[in-house]
Amino acid sequence: MFLLTLFACATTPQPPAEPFSRQTSSDLRVELATEGPIQNRIAAPDQADLVIYYAGEQQGSLAPCGCPSRPRGGLPRMASYLEQSSPGIIVNGGRWLDDGLSLDGQPRADVPLKNQWMVQGLQQMNMTAINVGIHDITGISSLAQGPPELPLVSANIVGPGIQTHVVVEHQNQRIGITGISNPGHTVISTPGYTRADPFSAAAEVISTMNADVIILLSYLAPEAAKKLAKKDLVDVVIDTGEHRTFDPPFRVNDAVWVRSHFQTMRLGELRLGVDDSTVQWALDRKIDLDDSLPNQTDQATLAQEAEKDLSVLEKELYGR
């Protein structure tokens, strides 16, 4: 039974606690912020030229993950953190929609409604770019209103509403963003969408981009992403693919590589020093989205409405 359990929680004030920090090299650092109120998890002032907030794999759920002991994640908590943090760009690495199928191979009866609410949640987030992964195709196709009005990108998945890339201005820099996905098995049918080789498709798209910094959103396509980085075609790789561990950033040639956390239980915050279109240093922060963080009001309201809507549908479908 699908349940959304979101409410505003009063938290007991806690003393400030420094996040665990680990030095990975002279130019790459990592922080894990897991304790204390939201004010204590905000990054200390620095000279970052570009801040990238990255998430992914919500699978159609606005709520925290269903972990019984310590639920984390959820758009309301993520939005609350973003409201109080440094300005930056916001990206999603893929599998943001639910692609659940019934035994007959069709989307489950609750999938279109879940995905409709997820689209509304992301529209409120002012996203910069959202990668379309192989699993998102089914989710997009389930929407009665057609492709959502969101900045969808993919270099190797072509279909309605998907751009090959976006270029945005940020602090006097041109930031180019594209995405790739594992194209899936050839026997998989995706009516209305074509899937190409992620490496060759991305290389062609990137060759047309006029940008100072190029960000690659990769969903389950690490080998293609690695080839692109080794050819110095990208500056940042955000690798999304069910990662559940605390991994430090590293470089592939000059590209900075980070991994997003599964279901955005931890929000990624990549702070970069950029000079002459080259990333000179990086601080990769992972922020636990636990119940010490408040829910942003608009997102919490949306999640509550989604929970009611889905509960009504479940009663109609299953009589409970």
Side-chain angles (χ1 to χ4, degrees), residues 13-36:
Q14 302 180 47
E18 291 296 325
F20 170 76
S21 180
R22 179 170 57 189
Q23 188 85 13
T24 60
S25 72
S26 59
D27 62 336
L28 301 180
R29 293 182 297 131
V30 63
E31 288 182 357
L32 175 61
T34 62
E35 298 180 2

Side-chain angles (χ1 to χ4, degrees), residues 29 214 232:
R29 293 182 297 131
I214 294 179
D232 293 322

Side-chain angles (χ1 to χ4, degrees), residues 22 51 108 114 140 196 259 292 319:
R22 179 170 57 189
V51 180
R108 287 194 325 267
K114 282 181 65 177
I140 295 172
R259 295 188 172 114
S292 296

Side-chain angles (χ1 to χ4, degrees), residues 104-147:
D104 62 1
Q106 298 301 312
R108 287 194 325 267
D110 63 329
V111 163
L113 188 58
K114 282 181 65 177
N115 289 337
Q116 174 186 317
W117 283 109
M118 189 65 192
V119 166
Q120 291 186 52
L122 291 175
Q123 287 172 336
Q124 282 191 3
M125 296 287 288
N126 193 28
M127 303 294 297
T128 308
I130 300 174
N131 189 26
V132 176
I134 181 64
H135 298 290
D136 294 312
I137 297 175
T138 299
I140 295 172
S141 299
S142 76
L143 298 169
Q145 68 272 29

